[in-house]
Amino acid sequence: MAPPFLILRNIHLTFGGTPLLDAAELSVSEGDRLCLVGRNGSGKSTLLKVAAGMVQPESGERVVQSGVTMRYLPQEPDLSGFSDTLSYVLDGLAPGDDPHRARTLLEALGLTGNESPKQLSGGEARRAALARVLAPEPDILLLDEPTNHLDLPAIEWLEGELQRIRSALVLISHDRRFLSNLTRATIWLDRGNTRRLDQGFAAFEDWRDALLEQEETERHKLDRKIAAETDWLRHGISARRKRNMGRVRALMDLRKQRREQRKVAGNVTLTVSEAETSSKLIVEAKGISKSYGDQLVLQDVSLKVQRGDRLGIVGPNGAGKTTLLNILTGQLKPDSGSIRLGVNLELVTLDQKREALDPDMTLQYALAGGSDKVTINGQPRHVMSYMKDFLFSPEQARTPVRVLSGGERGRLMLARALAKPSNVLVLDEPTNDLDLETLDLLQEMLSDYPGTVLLVSHDRDFLDRVCTSVLAFEGAGKWLLYAGGYSDMVAQRGEGVKAKAAPAQKKTEAEAKSAPPPAAKPAPKRKLSFKEKHALETLPKKMDELRAAIARHQAALADPQLFSRDPAKFDAATKGLAQAEADLAAAEEQWLELEILREELEG
């Protein structure tokens, strides 16, 4: 068996008092597909920087096999010092690497290579950085939040590219669908330690919950033992004192062990302040259109949103999602058409760019203004207590916003938004920088929320969990409404969200006259092949069999004692479920493609 490409052993690193990394380990072998998961602030990015050789640990060992090539994607790429995006990408190539691949990747990511780094948006900088690390096709790719600032077409393109390349992957991401589709093993960084699951992210959360439950049971046993030994200490030590001192020392050791145990950090507690019930009609749009100069954003869009709806809005960057959201909430007027808003609407908006936060404002002032109280559902709460609900410590009360991490700013924006009375929540990319546990709780809160939710997001899993309908960009200012979540939309459309078409270059009058007339496209004449007909006939039965297999695996995994009673059976059921779900998705996609082809040929 070939030795691993990269090994981290017994890595220790401390910032402040509590160790950030405490005997953390990581091993990356050829062809590995690993995800690195853990709470915000648990040290994932730091461990990835140690793996990349950018951070030196206090102790531990980093071993890289001779000749192994590695590329690291930071969360915030730095393009300063480069004249354009192409020179930035080419600078990442080693002698012998293909410069043509650098140009190809830039084009695939929607860049020309001529963009000035000083004028790039966050999404464009991320795309250039992705092209830089992907172009050499290294042995190991270390990717820290590669989907940040990317739209849905770019995320799905990146998935396909990472599935194709030979590089070993170590991914940090809060995009569940992205991790589930790409990974085959999971590294959980928890309280400074790493634990490995030799299954992809799809199996991680059940495994994590089982481990935490087992840990809680062991902690309870230790507490009972300490209580029993303390009782003996009070009543039984007077006789045979010398022989019993060993037992006293053992009790002291137990207390020390219990004291030094690092418990899992508390969960975020999400409670939304509810306003009075709104009217049944939230907003009705009839034939609305909107343009900015020559750019058509909306064309003849009609839509009705009623109380209790959870509407997701999806499309590529630049399609006009935020513009549409502003028109639907009455903040922007359409060029034509009509907008009718309901009555008694109390809107609360979560801004995707966190622009409502003054960087010099303290955390306490951001939540409570000049007061020390926050009113939630009509009840006053001390701001320190409310801060704890969002995992902020009392020591952070006077911390300025500018020093908070991206995840902490995300939690602060949630805390501010949810404290305001509302019956309509307007969420523009609410999942940015939130960890998986907070995403879970936000999703649960939205499911229980009695009001209406308007949601813009590129997180496919979150859209599936929250939305009752999806409004999708179809190109040229057209938007269509689909029932269900993002996966339901894909099933109905036969494809996901496509990248926004680049604006056509205008020809001069002379060029238009000299250009030859376009050749007429021949009509398709071919028929379905025997193999395609056979697949159309047999795939429905295969899909039914796969759904039955999924149901069997889910029934087995529903047993809460299965993991502790029969770990092998639990693993087999988990693997079987993941495989059956993947096979079903592939079969459904193949059937849809063939059905669309049949309609085109017969129509």
Side-chain angles (χ1 to χ4, degrees):
M1 184 176 178
F5 283 165
L6 168 70
I7 299 175
L8 301 182
R9 292 194 188 98
N10 205 25
I11 301 297
H12 289 261
L13 189 62
T14 301
F15 293 125
T18 304
L20 183 65
L21 301 176
D22 188 10
E25 303 201 339
L26 178 67
S27 175
V28 184
S29 299
E30 183 178 4
D32 270 351
R33 295 287 193 269
L34 307 176
C35 60
L36 180 57
V37 299
R39 281 277 179 86
N40 281 344
S42 62
K44 302 186 299 294
S45 294
T46 302
L47 184 61
L48 208 63
K49 289 177 182 176
V50 172
M54 300 173 62
V55 170
Q56 186 68 30
E58 293 161 4
S59 62
E61 185 180 15
R62 174 179 179 267
V63 180
V64 182
Q65 191 184 133
S66 177
V68 165
T69 57
M70 190 183 311
R71 291 293 185 275
Y72 165 75
L73 176 76
Q75 281 197 35
E76 297 182 1
D78 180 11
L79 280 72
S80 60
F82 294 93
S83 59
D84 53 37
T85 52
L86 179 59
S87 60
Y88 168 71
V89 175
L90 292 175
D91 183 69
L93 298 178
D97 288 337
D98 181 10
H100 178 69
R101 176 166 163 77
R103 294 182 176 87
T104 302
L105 285 170
L106 280 170
E107 290 174 5
L109 285 160
L111 300 174
T112 64
N114 299 321
E115 295 85 1
S116 169
K118 295 179 181 178
Q119 298 175 349
L120 293 179
S121 67
E124 289 169 333
R126 169 72 43 169
R127 290 164 191 251
L130 280 168
R132 178 183 170 99
V133 299
L134 291 171
E137 294 205 41
D139 297 310
I140 302 176
L141 269 171
L142 306 173
L143 305 178
D144 194 351
E145 295 290 356
T147 63
N148 267 10
H149 305 295
L150 297 186
D151 58 9
L152 279 164
I155 291 171
E156 293 180 340
W157 175 88
L158 180 59
E159 263 184 27
E161 185 68 15
L162 293 179
Q163 286 169 342
R164 185 196 63 76
I165 63 175
R166 62 176 181 84
S167 306
L169 302 178
V170 183
L171 301 172
I172 296 175
S173 179
H174 295 146
D175 188 324
R176 276 188 169 86
R177 189 70 50 83
F178 187 76
L179 293 179
S180 297
N181 290 347
L182 285 172
T183 59
R184 297 196 287 264
T186 306
I187 308 297
W188 181 26
L189 180 56
D190 177 45
R191 290 159 285 175
N193 291 294
T194 48
R195 291 186 255 194
R196 179 171 176 135
L197 170 68
D198 287 321
Q199 297 180 55
F201 178 77
F204 162 70
E205 289 172 299
D206 288 338
W207 172 74
R208 175 203 61 195
D209 292 345
L211 287 178
L212 291 177
E213 184 178 347
Q214 180 183 359
E215 184 179 298
E216 188 60 35
T217 300
E218 291 172 355
R219 185 180 291 115
H220 182 61
K221 288 179 180 178
L222 179 59
D223 286 343
R224 286 192 300 174
K225 187 172 182 180
I226 290 172
E229 291 297 290
T230 302
D231 183 67
W232 167 84
L233 177 63
R234 289 172 180 161
H235 302 102
I237 195 172
S238 56
R240 301 162 65 188
R241 183 176 300 273
K242 288 185 179 179
R243 291 180 61 186
N244 286 332
M245 287 311 295
R247 191 168 175 180
V248 173
R249 285 191 292 271
L251 174 57
M252 297 302 107
D253 289 341
L254 284 174
R255 285 177 173 169
K256 182 180 179 183
Q257 177 186 341
R258 183 65 176 85
R259 188 169 58 251
E260 291 179 350
Q261 279 185 340
R262 292 174 65 185
K263 285 189 178 182
V264 179
N267 287 321
V268 177
T269 303
L270 299 185
T271 304
V272 63
S273 291
E274 298 171 15
E276 294 180 12
T277 303
S278 67
S279 59
K280 185 173 181 181
L281 175 71
I282 302 301
V283 60
E284 183 176 21
K286 290 185 178 180
I288 60 172
S289 297
K290 183 70 177 178
S291 298
Y292 292 103
D294 294 335
Q295 183 181 2
L296 180 64
V297 178
L298 306 173
Q299 183 179 16
D300 196 27
V301 176
S302 296
L303 176 71
K304 182 184 286 187
V305 180
Q306 296 189 330
R307 184 177 63 235
D309 285 350
R310 279 109 170 89
L311 174 67
I313 300 174
V314 300
N317 287 341
K321 301 185 295 296
T322 302
T323 297
L324 176 57
L325 205 59
N326 289 337
I327 290 176
L328 292 179
T329 54
Q331 300 176 58
L332 186 66
K333 291 185 177 180
D335 296 337
S336 61
S338 65
I339 287 285
R340 182 161 67 103
L341 296 177
V343 297
N344 201 29
L345 300 186
E346 292 285 347
L347 278 73
V348 166
T349 301
L350 182 64
D351 174 60
Q352 67 160 306
K353 296 181 180 178
R354 323 298 194 219
E355 288 173 349
L357 293 175
D358 181 346
D360 294 319
M361 182 190 298
T362 65
L363 198 155
Q364 178 176 346
Y365 193 88
L367 288 175
S371 173
D372 61 354
K373 301 286 185 183
V374 181
T375 302
I376 308 295
N377 282 327
Q379 299 297 318
R381 286 187 61 186
H382 197 280
V383 67
M384 298 297 182
S385 170
Y386 189 60
M387 281 169 51
K388 288 180 181 178
D389 286 353
F390 292 83
L391 300 185
F392 292 112
S393 65
E395 293 78 18
Q396 291 179 282
R398 300 192 181 280
T399 300
V401 168
R402 65 174 177 272
V403 304
L404 298 179
S405 68
E408 287 171 330
R409 286 196 297 271
R411 293 205 305 272
L412 176 56
M413 288 297 293
L414 272 178
R416 280 164 55 93
L418 300 183
K420 299 174 184 175
S422 70
N423 49 37
V424 179
L425 282 176
V426 183
L427 307 178
D428 196 351
E429 291 294 348
T431 64
N432 282 354
D433 299 315
L434 297 183
D435 60 23
L436 295 170
E437 288 86 352
T438 308
L439 285 176
D440 277 342
L441 289 160
L442 177 59
Q443 175 254 315
E444 290 175 13
M445 183 276 292
L446 293 177
S447 298
D448 296 335
Y449 181 58
T452 306
V453 177
L454 303 179
L455 168 67
V456 172
S457 181
H458 296 309
D459 189 322
R460 295 161 292 175
D461 184 81
F462 193 76
L463 288 164
D464 276 346
R465 290 169 180 240
V466 171
C467 294
T468 56
S469 57
V470 170
L471 185 66
F473 177 70
E474 301 289 330
K478 297 291 186 182
W479 297 77
L480 286 183
L481 187 67
Y482 297 88
Y486 182 80
S487 296
D488 299 305
M489 180 210 73
V490 173
Q492 293 170 68
R493 295 178 87 219
E495 61 182 359
V497 175
K498 284 189 173 183
K500 190 169 181 283
Q505 297 292 324
K506 291 185 178 180
K507 293 183 178 181
T508 66
E509 189 175 344
E511 288 174 330
K513 288 179 179 179
S514 62
K521 292 185 178 179
K525 297 179 180 179
R526 82 171 186 91
K527 296 182 179 180
L528 288 176
S529 68
F530 173 80
K531 185 177 179 181
E532 289 167 336
K533 286 181 180 179
H534 180 72
L536 263 177
E537 294 169 357
T538 57
L539 277 171
K541 182 180 179 182
K542 180 181 178 181
M543 290 188 287
D544 288 341
E545 292 171 351
L546 288 168
R547 291 188 187 99
I550 289 170
R552 288 196 301 272
H553 292 311
Q554 289 175 334
L557 291 170
D559 180 0
Q561 305 300 322
L562 179 61
F563 180 82
S564 55
R565 185 178 69 248
D566 192 345
K569 187 175 180 181
F570 177 86
D571 287 345
T574 304
K575 290 178 181 176
L577 177 60
Q579 186 61 52
E581 287 177 337
D583 291 345
L584 178 60
E588 288 175 339
E589 185 174 349
Q590 183 185 3
W591 183 84
L592 279 168
E593 289 175 353
L594 289 172
E595 185 64 21
I596 292 169
L597 176 62
R598 181 189 64 78
E599 289 181 359
E600 288 178 351
L601 295 179
E602 293 180 359

